[in-house]
Structure formats: C-alpha cells, structure tokens
Amino acid sequence: MSTTPPVLAAELAQAWSEIQRNHPELPDLAAPESLIGESSSACGAELSFERLLHEAVHGIAAARGVRDTSRAGRYHNRRFLAIAEELGLDHPEEPHASSGFSLVTLNAEARRRYRPTIERLQRALKAHTAATAADTKRSFRGPAARHGSSGGGVRVKAVCDCGRNVRVVPSVLAQAPIVCGGCGKPFRIPETVGAAS
C-alpha cells in the first residue's frame, strides 16, 4: 500500500461517500486533505472514522440550515446531538461544560455497518502515520512548512499596544503586518519570558 497523503485523501473521500450512501443529504467533502493534520479539541483531534462521522453531522446540519454549535463552534448543542443519533453516534447523558455533546462515539450498529470502511481507513491512517514519522528535514513539505505553519492552522495570540488582541497563524502575520482598526498600530506576537533570555 502506498503511504502518500493522496492515498489517505482518497480513502477519506471514499469513507465520506460511504456515509453519503446512507445519508444522501450529506454534502460532498470539498477537500479531504483538509482533515489531515487539522485538529480541534471540540470535534476531536485524532483523525478516525468516528471523527469523520462527527464532521458528517456538521455537514448535514449545514445542509439543513441547522445551527448545531455555539461559542465559535466549540459547544455542540442538542440539535447536533439529534443528527449525531441519526448517523449512529452515541453520547454521554450530560453535556460537557465547554464542548456540549461533542464527545460522541460510534454505536454498535454503525460499527457493524461501516466495518469494511473503518478497516480501510485505519490501514491508510496507519500507513500515513508511518510515512510522516519517517519524514526527514530534507523532505519537501510544501508551503505550510516553508512558512512555519503547522499545517493545521495553530493560532497564537497577537496583541496591539492599545490592548486589543487577535488569534492568528504566525506564518500569516509574518507575511505582512495586520493593523489594528482601533489605533492603527500593527498586531505582534508578544515575546515569552523564556525567549527573551
């Protein structure tokens, strides 16, 4: 089996298509590669079929015009929960204080229905992990690595002298200044105490 990211992207697209067969209103996945390396504490940091099904819940909610989260997408509400149940996801009885009902897991029926898909995706994920673990500094990683981005868009706090702050990917801030609309000065990433010494 090839260990290249395009193979993993193809497996993600195939798994998404399997979910669409059971839930035709699920929109197409625009870019399977966007799920590789992306992390979200509310939706799950680890890429897996369970996470893919979680993302499919958001896709169906969007197709239905249902607002399934609040607090900038962190809190998963009962509307998310209702769609999650339709897709074969179980949930805790009580919502988590900050992420609501985001901590969903595959139920036994969904695990049986998607077993071959789950196994194929796990093999592709394992091969991808092995390939990226063996990566060297001489490997070409593309523009995200060249500009210092994590690929997942990890944001840090940038501050302005007037006290305002924004979250930004450091590589974006390095390309050109982001200017505060309040005072006209550029946002900057504050120096840490450790870095100053």
Side-chain angles (χ1 to χ4, degrees):
M1 169 183 277
S2 172
T3 59
T4 60
V7 170
L8 178 55
E11 286 297 340
L12 287 166
Q14 180 63 35
W16 192 265
S17 294
E18 293 291 328
I19 299 168
Q20 282 179 311
R21 276 193 198 90
N22 292 294
H23 304 280
E25 68 185 304
L26 177 63
D28 290 339
L29 183 59
E33 305 83 12
S34 67
L35 294 172
I36 302 169
E38 182 177 293
S39 99
S40 162
S41 59
C43 295
E46 185 178 333
L47 187 55
S48 65
F49 183 77
E50 196 168 77
R51 161 98 187 282
L52 198 63
L53 206 55
H54 177 124
E55 296 298 337
V57 173
H58 292 304
I60 289 176
R64 292 179 182 174
V66 171
R67 186 171 174 189
D68 63 340
T69 62
S70 59
R71 300 181 195 164
R74 289 185 307 274
Y75 191 87
H76 293 57
N77 60 34
R78 291 193 183 276
R79 290 180 291 271
F80 170 86
L81 186 58
I83 299 170
E85 288 173 346
E86 290 177 37
L87 270 68
L89 293 166
D90 284 337
H91 57 86
E93 284 295 317
E94 296 298 319
H96 184 273
S98 63
S99 62
F101 292 101
S102 70
L103 303 173
V104 290
T105 56
L106 279 170
N107 67 26
E109 181 185 333
R111 198 172 298 281
R112 276 191 303 277
R113 176 186 307 144
Y114 293 111
R115 175 169 279 124
T117 305
I118 293 167
E119 290 171 356
R120 272 196 330 269
L121 186 57
Q122 284 175 335
R123 283 193 300 272
L125 285 165
K126 186 176 179 182
H128 176 72
T129 301
T132 54
D135 205 359
T136 68
K137 290 185 184 233
R138 292 185 47 93
S139 298
F140 179 72
R141 301 288 295 169
R146 264 196 327 271
H147 298 296
S149 170
S150 67
V154 176
R155 290 168 173 76
V156 296
K157 184 163 108 175
V159 298
C160 175
D161 291 337
C162 72
R164 298 179 73 210
N165 65 68
V166 295
R167 291 279 201 199
V168 63
V169 177
S171 62
V172 171
L173 193 58
Q175 292 172 13
I178 298 174
V179 180
C180 175
C183 71
K185 293 184 179 175
F187 285 94
R188 60 183 169 70
I189 299 171
E191 296 292 324
T192 61
V193 175
S197 53

